[in-house]
Amino acid sequence: MAAGLFDVVIVGGGPAGLSAALSLTRARRRVLVFDAGDPRNARAAHMHGVLGHDGLPPGDLRQRGRAEISSYGGGFIDEPVVSARVVPSGFEIFGSRTAVTARQLVVATGLRDELPAVLGLSEQWGRGVLVCPYCDGWERRNDTIGILATGPQGVDQAQQLRQWSSSIVYFPNDLGEPSTKDLCSLELRDIRVERGRVRAVRTRDGRVEAVELLDRVVPVDTIFTSTTMKPRDELLRLLGARTREHRGQSWIAVDADGRTSVTRLWAVGNVIDPRSNVSVSLGAGSLLAGAVNADLTAADIARCEASATPAPPPETAAAR
Ligand SMILES: Cc1cc2nc3c(=O)[nH]c(=O)nc-3n(C[C@H](O)[C@H](O)[C@H](O)COP(=O)(O)OP(=O)(O)OC[C@H]3O[C@@H](n4cnc5c(N)ncnc54)[C@H](O)[C@@H]3O)c2cc1C
């Protein structure tokens, strides 16, 4: 499968990459997907808010997607891509063991979440420690939810979660005393504030049971916090894609279709958009595929035009 020139190589087999692969294989393009097998939501047992798939384990969506893409002739290589370079035909792409060439390259490598440095937090990531109320709020509606603040958005997160649960505890942790305005708004909605440095997350039988402060223990069932999102965009940067600043962080810039500043290089999903949940990633992958296919078609037309024998000018024909 890995021989010859592919129309499109997609790096990343999450919702964004697989959605693009499905449309492109159905458009009868020769497509190969590289995947390192460590998606962002790997620790989540179920996926929510995805119409028609609510509650499905994330791995099942990937498996179904792969089967669909394979049925249209798409291929998979379960390897990380470690490097790529521009060549006259498009790109040469180097997996950890396999090298291929492609006319167009789509990067859908997602992002990594960096958690606050609190003992026991990472062990519960994706299970008792969560970030997205739309993904997990409904399932936690009867829990006492602790909000572990990492910045000013912590108060907003507490107010948001109050929509799901009537028992919210706000931990300002190292942020210190909330402003008078924030204290008023929290109190108005019965959100308790527990001041002091958070030392650890306590668990029992694999479930969160409390937040440990330096001088006391506060029972909670679930923790919501914010992570520092780090796009997995090394490949795009290596190839020279232009960046933009967003909320003090550098992201790869793309147009509405997912086109980067490098010709024939595309990016989609969480790698370029922190807000891209599963549904948005699926939609964006599908839109991008249409644009990639249009570019391939334009290149196919240009190639036909370049190789066509020009018709002789009328006077030459008449002279014969
Ligand atoms: C704990 C948690 C729970 C979540 N729950 C939900 C939910 O319920 N509903 C929802 O809509 N969203 C949820 N999300 C968000 C969801 O995970 C993302 O929106 C989605 O994964 C983004 O899709 P993606 O394709 O951009 O990236 P990913 O799904 O992260 O896929 C990227 C893929 O690229 C691969 N990759 C990375 N680098 C390379 C490389 N160099 N070479 C080859 N492959 C590579 C990775 O292995 C991975 O398979 C959750 C997120 C978290 C953290």
Side-chain angles (χ1 to χ4, degrees):
M1 181 67 202
L5 178 66
F6 287 89
D7 289 319
V8 188
V9 159
I10 297 173
V11 185
L18 291 181
S19 172
L22 180 61
S23 288
L24 284 162
T25 49
R26 284 180 51 78
R28 309 188 67 186
R29 293 298 180 183
R30 194 159 181 252
V31 176
L32 182 69
V33 180
F34 276 89
D35 189 41
D38 57 347
R40 184 177 175 206
N41 57 1
R43 297 280 291 273
H46 301 100
M47 195 178 66
H48 293 104
V50 183
L51 189 67
H53 297 298
D54 191 53
L56 193 75
D60 287 13
L61 183 76
R62 294 160 71 88
Q63 239 173 31
R64 286 185 195 179
R66 278 186 170 223
E68 288 165 358
I69 292 156
S70 299
S71 77
Y72 296 113
F76 292 90
I77 295 195
D78 290 319
E79 280 176 36
V81 167
V82 290
S83 181
R85 63 183 177 134
V86 175
V87 292
S89 56
F91 297 90
E92 196 170 3
I93 298 121
F94 303 94
S96 50
R97 295 182 299 277
T98 313
V100 297
T101 49
R103 297 168 66 193
Q104 308 261 342
L105 177 59
V106 175
V107 176
T109 43
L111 62 75
R112 284 190 201 290
D113 292 280
E114 284 182 7
L115 286 161
V118 168
L119 215 63
L121 204 66
S122 62
E123 288 81 350
Q124 280 292 322
W125 173 234
R127 296 182 187 272
V129 174
L130 304 163
V131 278
C132 163
Y134 298 96
C135 305
D136 299 295
W138 172 266
E139 286 65 35
R140 307 302 165 125
R141 66 194 182 282
N142 297 317
D143 285 5
T144 292
I145 297 176
I147 307 296
L148 177 57
T150 59
Q153 76 282 3
V155 170
D156 292 341
Q157 197 178 26
Q159 292 286 8
Q160 287 289 321
L161 262 307
R162 180 65 183 78
Q163 168 64 21
W164 278 271
S165 165
S166 56
S167 179
I168 305 283
V169 188
Y170 175 68
F171 296 91
N173 194 20
D174 289 339
L175 294 181
E177 185 62 14
S179 70
T180 313
K181 186 167 170 272
D182 284 344
L183 279 176
C184 278
S185 74
L186 291 165
E187 195 181 322
L188 272 174
R189 301 191 78 212
D190 289 329
I191 299 171
R192 206 168 85 229
V193 179
E194 290 284 355
R195 297 165 176 82
R197 172 160 296 172
V198 172
R199 217 189 69 77
V201 171
R202 276 200 189 174
T203 57
R204 180 192 290 264
D205 301 331
R207 297 176 67 92
V208 169
E209 70 163 1
V211 169
E212 204 179 302
L213 298 159
L214 289 182
D215 57 351
R216 65 199 187 281
V217 171
V218 180
V220 299
D221 307 305
T222 295
I223 294 169
F224 275 77
T225 191
S226 298
T227 63
T228 307
M229 297 183 198
K230 300 279 185 189
R232 301 173 77 176
D233 57 11
E234 298 83 358
L235 206 56
L236 293 159
R237 288 175 188 266
L238 178 75
L239 291 165
R242 210 171 290 142
T243 58
R244 70 184 171 98
E245 287 299 307
H246 176 66
R247 296 189 177 170
Q249 209 181 320
S250 166
W251 293 80
I252 298 295
V254 290
D255 73 5
D257 292 323
R259 198 180 268 105
T260 71
S261 60
V262 177
T263 311
R264 298 183 285 197
L265 177 64
W266 307 75
V268 65
N270 267 167
V271 69
I272 46 102
D273 179 4
R275 296 172 315 158
S276 196
N277 62 14
V278 171
S279 305
V280 174
S281 299
L282 292 173
S286 159
L287 274 180
L288 171 135
V292 172
N293 190 44
D295 259 30
L296 285 165
T297 304
D300 292 341
I301 295 166
R303 208 172 40 213
C304 288
E305 285 171 349
S307 64
T309 316
E315 59 276 14
T316 316
R320 249 193 241 129

